[in-house]
Amino acid sequence: MWWHVSSRALYIKAAEDLRPNAAQWQAYESLGHCVVLAGPGSGKTKTMTVKLARILAEDVEAPRGVACITYNNECAREVENRLAGLGMEAGKRTFIGTVHSFSLTQILMPYAQSLGLDLPASFEIASTQQQTVALARAHRDVIGGPGNPEDHRFGMNLHRRTYLDRAAPQWAQANPQRAALATAYERHLRAANLIDFEDMPLLALRALVQNPWLPKAIVAKYPVLAVDEYQDLGLALHQMVLGLCFSTGARLLAVGDPDQSIYGFVGAQPELLQRLSMRAGVETVRLGLNYRSGRRIVAVSEYALGEERGYRAAEGAEEGTVFFHPVAGNYDQQADYLFSVLLPEVETRNPDLERGEIGILYPAAFMGDAVAEAAHNNGWAVLRTDVNALYPRSSKLMRWLEKCASWCCGGWEVGDPRWERVASGGQRLFSEMLVSEQNREDFKRTLLLFLWSCRDGTIPLVEWLERFRAEISLPYGTGCRTLAEDLIILSDFARQLTPDAPLEGMTLGQFSGHGEGNDRLNLSTLHSSKGREFDVVIMFGIDEGRVPRANPSDDAIREARRLFYVGFTRARSEVHMMYSANRPSRFIVEVS
């Protein structure tokens, strides 16, 4: 009872912050299917999480709960942390994770032998190497001859995501070679009792369609389905939503913004959210007040988008400024200018600005290499979140290890992070092996003993990870299908710590600082910046031929414009446009 009363008090107090905004309050008060169309900085995550807390407290009786599907693990962590702040700990009555995680843990793993998909109960997730082998064999079977099988992976996977009904003529007719290659590739995976990342939502959707009892079982457990960043999640999830919510009876809360859809190249279709918002029986709410950005940034952002949306800055917002920096030379020279001229000016103008509140965003990761090299030469620490980062920031295991390292390096004394949060995070990661309360208690005890004995930031990271492998990941991670790829990422990272490798000599304290702290510049591709915010945004390399790419189609121009808009609207107080003086992007020309 105390937990319920305490949680109720927390979310009701938080809800009062929504009341002055009529649109947020409408979304909070809605009782049926609700689509929230949320512009940048409009408080959509707060609106969604406070509403979910209310649903858990008032609308759904335990042990039933809520499933919240997010675009990536970063988004899932944000929702999880906010719900925890409202007294709703993840794992009690909630699923919070990606559509792939939902498909795997809530459909495929529990019901594999009953779905008619020819999946053994012991199926595993294919590693990158296993996928490479299966694709090479499929290439041999279907195409033959010389050539790199990997050249066909992107097109094959796009075909799999686009044509969901294998019995429909379009599957084979739209691109016969891709259809045959996908069929052969999946056959080789299944022969080895494997599925891959793409399989997860596709097989889950097939299972829901072929087994009428299955949607009822899912809805019995999760009578409310929430989807964040709906515009980016693709056709398979959309079909799941239609079946679970409009045929089986789950209540839907969908949040997103078609104007921020930037993943069309992997199958995202922003029109799916638009169609959903126009369905009969769906209440649609538009959040148009921007709490993040200064007034001028909000005004110019509509020029960046190329369409008027009527977005307004919140009352009392600062003016905000947009700067333009045409720079001569190649990207290495432009990066030198960034650190020798632009950033010193930013810091002089904003003496209280922490470097962690600066985001440098670029169209491609190779530009990040130039920026990172210039940062190193000028003594600036950076945190990269692109494909050339030390490890993928989306890795649940690596982000949890950062928290463990922070706890060892002083966090245990100040409660940041709290031990309870570290332990519960580990229990969720290794949940497949922690099937009883005794298992979970044993895990917590083992983890505490390990971390308590490592409260020293000078410990060589390679030694800490060796102990982690022996004491935690081997006994608890072996057999965890949801962690298969994460454990490979960890092994790849550990190899960089060995003698003569790039990260030789890294300490536990340095690893802890890599993930946390506010003294590092944030380096990110424009795509990876989505959902983030910074006081100062520097958009680097915004050249014609980069944004948009050379010889773009009409669809590519529209998506590039949305990408430009997403980067622009990450900023609170300053946006800086850096571009080659002789070839500014057409979008730069439009807003200057």
CSV table of all heavy atoms in Angstrom, one decimal, residues 371-405:
chain,number,residue,atom,x,y,z
A,371,VAL,N,37.1,15.7,-36.5
A,371,VAL,CA,36.8,16.5,-35.3
A,371,VAL,C,37.5,15.9,-34.0
A,371,VAL,O,38.1,16.6,-33.2
A,371,VAL,CB,35.3,16.6,-35.0
A,371,VAL,CG1,35.0,17.3,-33.7
A,371,VAL,CG2,34.6,17.3,-36.2
A,372,ALA,N,37.5,14.6,-33.9
A,372,ALA,CA,38.1,13.9,-32.7
A,372,ALA,C,39.6,14.1,-32.7
A,372,ALA,O,40.2,14.3,-31.7
A,372,ALA,CB,37.8,12.4,-32.8
A,373,GLU,N,40.2,14.1,-33.9
A,373,GLU,CA,41.7,14.3,-34.0
A,373,GLU,C,42.0,15.7,-33.6
A,373,GLU,O,43.0,15.9,-32.9
A,373,GLU,CB,42.2,14.0,-35.4
A,373,GLU,CG,43.6,14.2,-35.7
A,373,GLU,CD,44.5,13.2,-34.9
A,373,GLU,OE1,44.0,12.1,-34.5
A,373,GLU,OE2,45.7,13.5,-34.7
A,374,ALA,N,41.3,16.7,-34.1
A,374,ALA,CA,41.5,18.1,-33.7
A,374,ALA,C,41.3,18.3,-32.2
A,374,ALA,O,42.0,19.0,-31.6
A,374,ALA,CB,40.6,19.0,-34.6
A,375,ALA,N,40.3,17.6,-31.7
A,375,ALA,CA,40.0,17.7,-30.2
A,375,ALA,C,41.2,17.2,-29.5
A,375,ALA,O,41.7,17.9,-28.5
A,375,ALA,CB,38.7,16.9,-29.9
A,376,HIS,N,41.7,16.1,-29.9
A,376,HIS,CA,42.9,15.5,-29.2
A,376,HIS,C,44.1,16.5,-29.3
A,376,HIS,O,44.8,16.7,-28.3
A,376,HIS,CB,43.3,14.2,-29.8
A,376,HIS,CG,44.5,13.5,-29.3
A,376,HIS,ND1,44.6,12.9,-28.0
A,376,HIS,CD2,45.8,13.4,-29.8
A,376,HIS,CE1,45.8,12.5,-27.8
A,376,HIS,NE2,46.5,12.8,-28.8
A,377,ASN,N,44.3,17.0,-30.4
A,377,ASN,CA,45.5,17.9,-30.6
A,377,ASN,C,45.3,19.2,-29.8
A,377,ASN,O,46.3,19.8,-29.5
A,377,ASN,CB,45.6,18.3,-32.1
A,377,ASN,CG,46.0,17.1,-33.0
A,377,ASN,OD1,46.5,16.1,-32.5
A,377,ASN,ND2,45.7,17.2,-34.3
A,378,ASN,N,44.1,19.6,-29.5
A,378,ASN,CA,43.9,20.8,-28.7
A,378,ASN,C,43.5,20.6,-27.3
A,378,ASN,O,43.2,21.5,-26.5
A,378,ASN,CB,42.8,21.6,-29.4
A,378,ASN,CG,43.2,22.3,-30.7
A,378,ASN,OD1,43.7,23.4,-30.7
A,378,ASN,ND2,43.0,21.6,-31.8
A,379,GLY,N,43.6,19.3,-26.8
A,379,GLY,CA,43.4,19.0,-25.4
A,379,GLY,C,42.0,19.0,-24.9
A,379,GLY,O,41.7,19.2,-23.8
A,380,TRP,N,41.1,18.7,-25.8
A,380,TRP,CA,39.6,18.6,-25.5
A,380,TRP,C,39.2,17.2,-25.4
A,380,TRP,O,39.5,16.4,-26.3
A,380,TRP,CB,38.8,19.3,-26.5
A,380,TRP,CG,38.9,20.8,-26.5
A,380,TRP,CD1,40.0,21.6,-26.8
A,380,TRP,CD2,37.8,21.7,-26.3
A,380,TRP,NE1,39.7,22.9,-26.7
A,380,TRP,CE2,38.4,23.0,-26.5
A,380,TRP,CE3,36.4,21.6,-26.1
A,380,TRP,CZ2,37.6,24.2,-26.3
A,380,TRP,CZ3,35.7,22.8,-26.0
A,380,TRP,CH2,36.2,24.0,-26.1
A,381,ALA,N,38.6,16.8,-24.3
A,381,ALA,CA,38.0,15.4,-24.2
A,381,ALA,C,36.7,15.3,-25.0
A,381,ALA,O,35.9,16.3,-25.0
A,381,ALA,CB,37.8,15.0,-22.8
A,382,VAL,N,36.4,14.2,-25.6
A,382,VAL,CA,35.2,14.0,-26.3
A,382,VAL,C,34.5,12.7,-25.9
A,382,VAL,O,35.2,11.7,-25.4
A,382,VAL,CB,35.5,14.0,-27.8
A,382,VAL,CG1,36.1,15.3,-28.3
A,382,VAL,CG2,36.3,12.8,-28.3
A,383,LEU,N,33.2,12.6,-26.2
A,383,LEU,CA,32.4,11.4,-26.1
A,383,LEU,C,31.7,11.2,-27.4
A,383,LEU,O,30.9,12.0,-27.8
A,383,LEU,CB,31.4,11.6,-24.9
A,383,LEU,CG,30.4,10.4,-24.8
A,383,LEU,CD1,31.2,9.1,-24.5
A,383,LEU,CD2,29.4,10.7,-23.7
A,384,ARG,N,32.1,10.1,-28.1
A,384,ARG,CA,31.5,9.9,-29.4
A,384,ARG,C,30.4,8.9,-29.3
A,384,ARG,O,30.4,7.9,-28.6
A,384,ARG,CB,32.6,9.3,-30.4
A,384,ARG,CG,33.7,10.3,-30.7
A,384,ARG,CD,34.6,9.7,-31.8
A,384,ARG,NE,34.0,9.6,-33.1
A,384,ARG,CZ,34.6,9.4,-34.2
A,384,ARG,NH1,36.0,9.2,-34.2
A,384,ARG,NH2,34.0,9.3,-35.4
A,385,THR,N,29.4,9.1,-30.2
A,385,THR,CA,28.2,8.2,-30.2
A,385,THR,C,27.9,7.8,-31.6
A,385,THR,O,26.8,7.4,-31.9
A,385,THR,CB,27.0,8.9,-29.6
A,385,THR,OG1,26.7,10.1,-30.3
A,385,THR,CG2,27.2,9.2,-28.1
A,386,ASP,N,28.9,7.8,-32.5
A,386,ASP,CA,28.7,7.3,-33.9
A,386,ASP,C,29.4,6.0,-34.0
A,386,ASP,O,29.8,5.3,-33.0
A,386,ASP,CB,29.3,8.3,-34.9
A,386,ASP,CG,30.8,8.6,-34.7
A,386,ASP,OD1,31.5,7.7,-34.3
A,386,ASP,OD2,31.3,9.7,-34.9
A,387,VAL,N,29.4,5.4,-35.2
A,387,VAL,CA,29.9,4.1,-35.4
A,387,VAL,C,31.4,3.9,-35.1
A,387,VAL,O,31.9,2.8,-35.0
A,387,VAL,CB,29.6,3.6,-36.9
A,387,VAL,CG1,28.1,3.5,-37.1
A,387,VAL,CG2,30.2,4.5,-37.9
A,388,ASN,N,32.1,5.0,-35.0
A,388,ASN,CA,33.5,4.9,-34.7
A,388,ASN,C,33.8,5.2,-33.3
A,388,ASN,O,35.0,5.4,-32.9
A,388,ASN,CB,34.3,5.9,-35.6
A,388,ASN,CG,34.4,5.5,-37.1
A,388,ASN,OD1,34.2,4.3,-37.4
A,388,ASN,ND2,34.6,6.5,-37.9
A,389,ALA,N,32.8,5.1,-32.4
A,389,ALA,CA,33.0,5.2,-31.0
A,389,ALA,C,33.8,4.0,-30.5
A,389,ALA,O,33.9,3.0,-31.2
A,389,ALA,CB,31.7,5.3,-30.3
A,390,LEU,N,34.3,4.0,-29.2
A,390,LEU,CA,35.0,2.9,-28.7
A,390,LEU,C,34.1,1.6,-28.7
A,390,LEU,O,34.6,0.5,-28.9
A,390,LEU,CB,35.5,3.2,-27.3
A,390,LEU,CG,36.5,4.2,-27.1
A,390,LEU,CD1,36.9,4.4,-25.6
A,390,LEU,CD2,37.8,3.8,-27.9
A,391,TYR,N,32.8,1.8,-28.5
A,391,TYR,CA,31.9,0.7,-28.6
A,391,TYR,C,30.5,1.4,-28.8
A,391,TYR,O,30.3,2.6,-28.5
A,391,TYR,CB,31.9,-0.1,-27.3
A,391,TYR,CG,31.9,0.7,-26.0
A,391,TYR,CD1,30.8,1.2,-25.4
A,391,TYR,CD2,33.1,0.9,-25.3
A,391,TYR,CE1,30.8,2.0,-24.3
A,391,TYR,CE2,33.2,1.6,-24.1
A,391,TYR,CZ,32.0,2.1,-23.6
A,391,TYR,OH,32.0,2.9,-22.5
A,392,PRO,N,29.5,0.6,-29.3
A,392,PRO,CA,28.2,1.2,-29.6
A,392,PRO,C,27.6,1.7,-28.3
A,392,PRO,O,27.4,1.0,-27.3
A,392,PRO,CB,27.4,0.0,-30.2
A,392,PRO,CG,28.5,-0.9,-30.7
A,392,PRO,CD,29.6,-0.8,-29.7
A,393,ARG,N,27.1,3.0,-28.3
A,393,ARG,CA,26.5,3.5,-27.1
A,393,ARG,C,25.1,2.9,-26.9
A,393,ARG,O,24.5,3.0,-25.8
A,393,ARG,CB,26.3,5.0,-27.2
A,393,ARG,CG,27.6,5.8,-27.4
A,393,ARG,CD,28.5,5.7,-26.3
A,393,ARG,NE,28.0,6.2,-25.1
A,393,ARG,CZ,28.5,6.1,-23.8
A,393,ARG,NH1,29.5,5.3,-23.7
A,393,ARG,NH2,27.9,6.6,-22.8
A,394,SER,N,24.6,2.1,-27.8
A,394,SER,CA,23.3,1.5,-27.7
A,394,SER,C,23.5,0.2,-26.9
A,394,SER,O,22.4,-0.4,-26.6
A,394,SER,CB,22.7,1.2,-29.1
A,394,SER,OG,23.6,0.4,-29.8
A,395,SER,N,24.7,-0.3,-26.7
A,395,SER,CA,24.9,-1.6,-26.0
A,395,SER,C,24.4,-1.5,-24.5
A,395,SER,O,25.0,-0.7,-23.7
A,395,SER,CB,26.4,-2.0,-26.0
A,395,SER,OG,26.6,-3.1,-25.1
A,396,LYS,N,23.4,-2.3,-24.2
A,396,LYS,CA,22.9,-2.3,-22.8
A,396,LYS,C,24.0,-2.7,-21.8
A,396,LYS,O,24.1,-2.1,-20.7
A,396,LYS,CB,21.7,-3.2,-22.7
A,396,LYS,CG,20.5,-2.7,-23.5
A,396,LYS,CD,19.4,-3.8,-23.5
A,396,LYS,CE,19.8,-5.0,-24.2
A,396,LYS,NZ,18.7,-6.0,-24.4
A,397,LEU,N,24.7,-3.7,-22.2
A,397,LEU,CA,25.7,-4.3,-21.3
A,397,LEU,C,26.9,-3.3,-21.0
A,397,LEU,O,27.3,-3.0,-19.9
A,397,LEU,CB,26.3,-5.6,-21.9
A,397,LEU,CG,27.4,-6.2,-21.1
A,397,LEU,CD1,26.9,-6.6,-19.7
A,397,LEU,CD2,28.0,-7.4,-21.8
A,398,MET,N,27.3,-2.6,-22.1
A,398,MET,CA,28.4,-1.7,-21.9
A,398,MET,C,28.0,-0.4,-21.1
A,398,MET,O,28.7,0.0,-20.3
A,398,MET,CB,29.0,-1.2,-23.3
A,398,MET,CG,29.6,-2.3,-24.1
A,398,MET,SD,30.9,-3.2,-23.3
A,398,MET,CE,32.1,-1.9,-23.1
A,399,ARG,N,26.8,0.0,-21.3
A,399,ARG,CA,26.3,1.2,-20.5
A,399,ARG,C,26.1,0.8,-19.1
A,399,ARG,O,26.4,1.6,-18.2
A,399,ARG,CB,25.0,1.7,-21.1
A,399,ARG,CG,25.1,2.3,-22.5
A,399,ARG,CD,25.9,3.5,-22.5
A,399,ARG,NE,25.4,4.6,-21.7
A,399,ARG,CZ,24.6,5.6,-22.2
A,399,ARG,NH1,24.2,5.6,-23.4
A,399,ARG,NH2,24.1,6.5,-21.4
A,400,TRP,N,25.7,-0.5,-18.8
A,400,TRP,CA,25.6,-0.9,-17.4
A,400,TRP,C,27.0,-1.1,-16.8
A,400,TRP,O,27.2,-0.7,-15.6
A,400,TRP,CB,24.9,-2.2,-17.4
A,400,TRP,CG,24.8,-2.8,-16.0
A,400,TRP,CD1,24.0,-2.3,-15.0
A,400,TRP,CD2,25.4,-4.0,-15.5
A,400,TRP,NE1,24.2,-3.1,-13.8
A,400,TRP,CE2,25.0,-4.2,-14.1
A,400,TRP,CE3,26.3,-4.9,-16.1
A,400,TRP,CZ2,25.5,-5.2,-13.4
A,400,TRP,CZ3,26.8,-6.0,-15.3
A,400,TRP,CH2,26.4,-6.1,-13.9
A,401,LEU,N,28.0,-1.6,-17.6
A,401,LEU,CA,29.3,-1.7,-17.1
A,401,LEU,C,29.9,-0.3,-16.7
A,401,LEU,O,30.7,-0.1,-15.7
A,401,LEU,CB,30.2,-2.4,-18.1
A,401,LEU,CG,30.1,-3.9,-18.1
A,401,LEU,CD1,31.0,-4.4,-19.3
A,401,LEU,CD2,30.5,-4.5,-16.8
A,402,GLU,N,29.5,0.7,-17.5
A,402,GLU,CA,29.9,2.1,-17.1
A,402,GLU,C,29.4,2.5,-15.7
A,402,GLU,O,30.1,3.1,-14.9
A,402,GLU,CB,29.4,3.1,-18.2
A,402,GLU,CG,30.1,3.0,-19.5
A,402,GLU,CD,29.5,3.9,-20.5
A,402,GLU,OE1,28.5,4.6,-20.2
A,402,GLU,OE2,30.0,3.9,-21.7
A,403,LYS,N,28.1,2.1,-15.5
A,403,LYS,CA,27.6,2.4,-14.2
A,403,LYS,C,28.3,1.6,-13.1
A,403,LYS,O,28.5,2.2,-12.0
A,403,LYS,CB,26.1,2.1,-14.2
A,403,LYS,CG,25.2,3.1,-14.9
A,403,LYS,CD,23.7,2.8,-14.7
A,403,LYS,CE,22.9,3.9,-15.3
A,403,LYS,NZ,23.1,4.2,-16.7
A,404,CYS,N,28.6,0.4,-13.3
A,404,CYS,CA,29.3,-0.4,-12.4
A,404,CYS,C,30.7,0.2,-12.1
A,404,CYS,O,31.1,0.3,-10.9
A,404,CYS,CB,29.6,-1.8,-12.9
A,404,CYS,SG,28.1,-2.9,-13.0
A,405,ALA,N,31.4,0.7,-13.1
A,405,ALA,CA,32.7,1.3,-12.9
A,405,ALA,C,32.5,2.6,-12.1
A,405,ALA,O,33.4,2.9,-11.3
A,405,ALA,CB,33.3,1.6,-14.3
